[in-house]
Amino acid sequence: MPSAPNAATASPPDVDRSASRGPADGADHATDRAVPAVARLIRTEIPGPLSRELAGRRSAAVAKGVASVLPIFAASAGDGVLTDVDGNTLIDLGSGIAVTSVGAAPEVIEAIREQAGAFLHTCFMIAPYEGYVRVCEELNALTPGDHDKRTVLFNSGSEAVENAVKVARHATGRPAIVAFDHAYHGRTNLTMALTAKAMPYKSGFGPFAPEIYRVPMSYPYRDPAGLTGPQAAARAIDQIEKQIGADSLAAVLIEPIQGEGGFIVPAPGFLPAIAAWCRANGVVLIADEVQTGFCRTGDWFAAEHENVVPDLVTTAKGIANGMPLAALTGRAELMDAVHPGGLGGTFGGNPVSCAAAIATIELMRSQDLAGTARRIGEAALPRLHSLAERTGVIGDVRGRGAMLAIELVRPGTNEPDPQLTAAVAAACHAAGVLVLTAGTYKNVIRLLPPLVIPPEVLDEGLSVLEATLERLVTEGS
Ligand code: PMP
């Protein structure tokens, strides 16, 4: 069996030919957390024969519009390691896009089992159940601000954002919504309008919803005017006042750290200035914490880093560690402005998803995973900065906690290098490390490891990324 090309000269992946560890390994971890004996184990070429066979079936059965990052098919996953159907194991620095933060936690699996044994679904709009209420209580307590709050549960981040817009419009009686450059809020019709990037998210899918206005973000690395946070906020506010007017504006919607747009951390003071203007003008501030929430950035929510208290908060992804669940949490007077029956859905707040969320939140609290996320950032950031110095192709290193990114540019410029970015990601995958890309200019490598990733697995994953980038830069120069 040929092994995959070894992109990482520093530490080659283990190449196992004994077949002692297969895809079935890891199936029985309900009471015992899976500790990977070997994090990277390339047994076949990538993709292996079983993945290739599934890829053939996939292309005959699955619509092309759904693309996948990896050419392999998953058999099991957890705690920073993903095993494919051919028995190859990859270090997972993506967590299914910031979802499986607590990994293969036995507590979550057990909670799912228990709830599944009791009932799968009644529809909360028909026969309510405690788990839904408990998740809402948790969110009301955990989201920023100690004001009176209410929560409603949904299935996806997009749906939570759609409903945030519904609530803001209903409560204010105003039509307009402001979103930012580089924003990503989803793929439904309304959230496509809120999302900034045309390709692949919007191209050919219009017409889009009206009364959505886009204003400039604070993107310190690429801000042509080099504005500080408060200056960048003033620029956005000026545009809002001139082009929309506060009287017509229901809400300003913002990701406290932009996700798909490239892990853009606004300059300090930007978010507080936007929040202050919203408050002064009766405009609802919606923080889209779908990607940043649930300890990812080193606090429960990213708005907390600058003591910003949003009026509405959307959450999803990490909330239930992989079970589909999303939420909208906000000021009681806004949320309760909507008439009974105005919000909801058949599956929203599914009881099994709620059970998973309760167990996930409990683990995050008891194990202080926000602290763990901060420590992941402290371990990784110096290495990424040093990599930037050594290679000369990283224009910016940024992020918070376990939400980290490098922006790749052509040496000596800030010109985006999407080709190098794609090459680095592909070579990391071939070497057994899953990294994701992002960014308006497709030139960002982003790291979203599970918060429970063992330090030595994270260390190895970073070593592969470093060696891969260094090799590609050397080869290209
Ligand atoms: N908002 C943000 C900030 C996101 O990152 C995403 C997903 N990437 C969404 C909304 C949409 O979430 P979903 O894919 O669950 O609809």
Side-chain angles (χ1 to χ4, degrees):
M1 262 186 296
S3 65
N6 176 18
T9 50
S11 55
D14 291 279
V15 177
D16 169 67
R17 298 176 197 288
S18 70
S20 62
R21 191 186 150 84
D25 184 54
D28 184 24
H29 289 134
T31 53
D32 193 13
R33 189 172 274 263
V35 180
V38 186
R40 269 190 316 140
L41 185 76
I42 304 297
R43 303 170 79 194
T44 71
E45 61 190 323
I46 301 282
L50 293 176
S51 279
R52 284 203 302 275
E53 196 184 313
L54 283 170
R57 281 173 53 197
R58 174 196 170 131
S59 58
V62 180
K64 270 203 195 67
V66 190
S68 298
V69 168
L70 291 179
I72 53 128
F73 281 72
S76 66
D79 298 4
V81 175
L82 189 152
T83 303
D84 78 5
V85 288
D86 292 289
N88 301 298
T89 65
L90 284 77
I91 293 176
D92 178 10
L93 301 184
S95 307
I97 322 185
V99 171
T100 53
S101 294
V102 303
E107 296 86 344
V108 176
I109 297 164
E110 202 41 54
I112 290 169
R113 277 210 180 102
E114 201 178 307
Q115 179 56 48
F119 61 96
L120 294 175
H121 174 82
T122 59
C123 185
F124 191 74
M125 300 186 304
I126 306 295
Y129 36 89
E130 188 196 350
Y132 189 118
V133 178
R134 171 86 188 275
V135 172
C136 295
E137 288 168 348
E138 290 282 13
L139 280 161
N140 294 345
L142 288 169
T143 49
D146 48 18
H147 48 276
D148 200 15
K149 296 177 205 148
R150 299 287 184 273
T151 291
V152 56
L153 303 180
F154 302 102
N155 305 292
S156 69
S158 308
E159 212 187 336
V161 173
E162 290 240 359
N163 280 277
V165 170
K166 280 170 67 172
V167 167
R169 283 180 170 154
H170 200 290
T172 60
R174 302 171 181 176
I177 306 291
V178 156
F180 288 83
D181 284 338
H182 311 288
Y184 182 90
H185 297 291
R187 294 170 181 271
T188 56
N189 185 265
L190 177 55
T191 57
M192 272 193 295
L194 295 161
T195 289
K197 195 173 170 179
M199 199 61 184
Y201 308 124
K202 302 168 76 165
S203 189
F205 298 132
F208 302 111
E211 287 299 322
I212 307 290
Y213 299 87
R214 195 163 307 287
V215 301
M217 180 64 183
S218 165
Y219 186 169
Y221 177 61
R222 293 200 175 272
D223 196 323
L227 301 184
T228 64
Q231 289 169 334
R235 175 178 60 189
I237 290 163
D238 185 55
Q239 195 165 312
I240 293 170
E241 286 178 338
K242 293 217 171 75
Q243 297 183 14
I244 310 158
D247 289 356
S248 300
L249 184 58
V252 169
L253 166 66
I254 190 161
E255 298 156 87
I257 297 176
Q258 289 183 318
E260 305 304 309
F263 284 23
I264 300 165
V265 186
F270 179 77
L271 287 174
I274 296 284
W277 182 86
C278 285
R279 205 174 317 117
N281 289 278
V283 172
V284 175
L285 178 66
I286 308 170
D288 182 349
E289 295 255 15
V290 165
Q291 193 155 161
T292 48
F294 288 97
C295 300
R296 175 55 52 189
T297 67
D299 236 322
W300 278 97
F301 297 95
E304 292 173 73
H305 297 298
E306 287 199 89
N307 296 317
V308 167
V309 178
D311 301 304
L312 299 177
V313 180
T314 56
T315 50
K317 290 194 186 281
I319 185 175
N321 203 45
M323 293 299 288
L325 190 69
L328 172 64
T329 303
R331 292 187 184 278
E333 64 274 22
L334 298 176
M335 298 290 290
D336 283 344
V338 178
H339 48 271
L343 306 174
T346 304
F347 292 125
N350 169 271
V352 184
S353 295
C354 287
I358 293 161
T360 301
I361 291 167
E362 193 45 47
L363 275 176
M364 287 179 172
R365 188 166 26 228
S366 63
Q367 298 188 1
D368 182 26
L369 291 185
T372 308
R374 288 196 292 276
R375 284 187 288 282
I376 288 174
E378 282 156 18
L381 277 170
R383 293 179 62 166
L384 298 175
H385 280 292
S386 142
L387 183 64
E389 271 168 37
R390 292 202 303 278
T391 57
V393 295
I394 298 176
D396 196 23
V397 175
R398 57 179 179 254
R400 274 187 196 276
M403 182 172 182
L404 301 166
I406 50 177
E407 178 162 352
L408 301 185
V409 292
R410 296 187 213 288
T413 73
N414 73 351
E415 211 182 300
D417 195 339
Q419 291 81 15
L420 178 62
T421 309
V424 170
C428 282
H429 301 162
V433 176
L434 169 53
V435 295
L436 303 178
T437 60
T440 297
Y441 312 104
K442 291 168 125 179
N443 68 327
V444 173
I445 300 270
R446 57 172 159 169
L447 307 178
L448 291 162
L451 303 181
V452 295
I453 192 170
E456 57 279 12
V457 177
L458 175 66
D459 181 59
E460 187 178 339
L462 290 171
S463 297
V464 171
L465 172 63
E466 290 164 347
T468 301
L469 182 62
E470 287 181 307
R471 179 176 66 78
L472 289 176
V473 168
T474 309
E475 282 173 9
S477 57

